[in-house]
Amino acid sequence: MTRPGYILAELGRNFARSPLAAIGSILAVTLLLLLFDLFWIGALSSKQFLGKMVSGVTMEGFVSEEVPDSAVGTIGDVLADIPAVAEFIYISRDSARAELARLVGTDLLVGYDQVNPLPRSFVITLRDSLVTSERLREIDSILTATGKISDIYYNADRIVRSEQTRAIIRRAGLVLGGLIFLSALLNLTNSIRLSTRTRTVGLRQMRLLGAGKIFLSLPFLLEGFLLGGVSAALGWGAVFYWKDRLPLGDLALIVPPLQHIILACLAVACLGLISGYLGVRKAIR
């Protein structure tokens, strides 16, 4: 029998000797990975929701009363040089009066044509991809440093809450992912270790006859690779099966791109390779 033939035959015998153990290992690892897959989908969905929550963030800076109209243009030049600013609109006193009349349905400033008490301001819209609490404070500092802006208003709490939520999700993902992958590694390692117990004597005899460690361990490495890869694929298969069948209403689930899913399955399969080595190393010393 050729070497590839022996390796494949031994791989098949490993599954045939303890099929229930292999199936149990696949199911256990599949459930673990399914939990991680659901968390991944939830994290992506919440990220989109949080992105919508902070989209279209605006700031409004009010021009100081002592600044003449002829000097207001320099504030626009400062805003144009800030990368995070998508656009800005200058609201003159007359524009503010017209907007107030539109909102209340009547002109409340009749008789104040010469002395309009409404303030001038700049309404600033930020780029969604660049909205952070730190950048908002930076823009606040830049405008205040001009000496021509008296007050700046923006919803900082919403941005801070969004950032805190993202940080919590990120930390939870790291902890949960680490625990799940460690549990999967231990599960696969124990499964392969059980598989090697019935072959310990034979493996040692082959070592005495000159068989190399890599050659003897390959069937078990492939077993771990297949167990990990099949478990990961089954987990995502369950996700795609139920995704369109559950009554989610208006809730939109964001599934990772296919290439990311394939890379995740390959990562779990490589984790199976590691578990295969850990499971067989004592038997081939």
Side-chain angles (χ1 to χ4, degrees):
M1 182 181 295
T2 62
R3 288 189 175 186
Y6 167 80
I7 292 171
L8 293 177
E10 189 65 20
L11 175 63
R13 282 193 289 268
N14 288 345
F15 284 115
R17 288 189 194 99
S18 52
L20 293 179
I23 293 173
S25 179
I26 288 174
L27 291 177
V29 176
T30 297
L31 289 176
L32 286 170
L33 296 176
L34 181 60
L35 178 62
F36 180 77
D37 297 341
L38 294 177
F39 179 85
W40 191 359
I41 292 173
L44 291 177
S45 302
S46 62
K47 181 180 179 181
Q48 184 189 59
F49 172 77
L50 292 173
K52 290 181 179 179
M53 190 174 74
V54 300
S55 64
V57 171
T58 60
M59 305 175 69
E60 186 166 11
F62 293 91
V63 181
S64 300
E65 289 296 327
E66 63 271 13
V67 177
D69 291 338
S70 58
V72 170
T74 58
I75 302 175
D77 296 335
V78 172
L79 290 172
D81 292 334
I82 301 176
V85 175
E87 63 178 0
F88 59 88
I89 300 174
Y90 172 60
I91 308 297
S92 64
R93 297 184 193 275
D94 291 338
S95 298
R97 177 178 179 177
E99 180 64 15
L100 177 62
R102 186 187 68 81
L103 291 174
V104 300
T106 184
D107 189 357
L108 300 178
L109 298 179
V110 175
Y112 291 89
D113 296 331
Q114 300 300 322
V115 184
N116 187 336
L118 296 178
R120 300 160 295 173
S121 65
F122 282 88
V123 176
I124 307 161
T125 303
L126 304 180
R127 301 183 192 277
D128 293 342
S129 59
L130 299 177
V131 174
T132 63
S133 57
E134 181 180 355
R135 193 159 278 117
L136 289 175
R137 289 192 295 268
E138 179 184 343
I139 296 174
D140 190 328
S141 299
I142 292 174
L143 293 178
T144 302
T146 62
K148 298 176 182 179
I149 298 293
S150 58
D151 296 293
I152 301 175
Y153 294 97
Y154 55 91
N155 193 345
D157 291 340
R158 184 174 64 173
I159 307 299
V160 172
R161 286 196 300 269
S162 171
E163 292 175 345
Q164 290 174 343
T165 303
R166 290 183 181 182
I168 291 172
I169 293 174
R170 189 180 302 111
R171 287 195 295 267
L174 291 174
V175 174
L176 181 63
L179 291 175
I180 287 177
F181 279 91
L182 179 60
S183 300
L185 178 64
L186 294 176
N187 188 292
L188 293 173
T189 299
N190 287 331
S191 176
I192 293 173
R193 186 168 294 164
L194 289 173
S195 180
T196 61
R197 286 184 177 178
T198 58
R199 292 281 297 144
T200 301
V201 176
L203 291 172
R204 289 179 178 173
Q205 288 177 347
M206 294 186 70
R207 280 287 293 147
L208 293 174
L209 293 174
K213 291 183 179 181
I214 296 178
F215 175 72
L216 293 177
S217 63
L218 273 177
F220 300 96
L221 296 178
L222 290 176
E223 181 182 354
F225 184 86
L226 289 176
L227 289 175
V230 169
S231 299
L234 286 176
W236 280 110
V239 168
F240 281 106
Y241 178 80
W242 288 107
K243 181 175 72 73
D244 297 326
R245 289 172 171 78
L246 293 177
L248 300 175
D250 296 332
L251 179 63
L253 295 181
I254 307 301
V255 178
L258 181 60
Q259 58 268 31
H260 291 179
I261 294 175
I262 293 174
L263 289 175
C265 291
L266 288 176
V268 176
C270 292
L271 188 71
L273 279 176
I274 298 173
S275 67
Y277 168 74
L278 294 176
V280 77
R281 62 176 182 170
K282 288 185 178 180
I284 58 174
R285 287 178 179 175

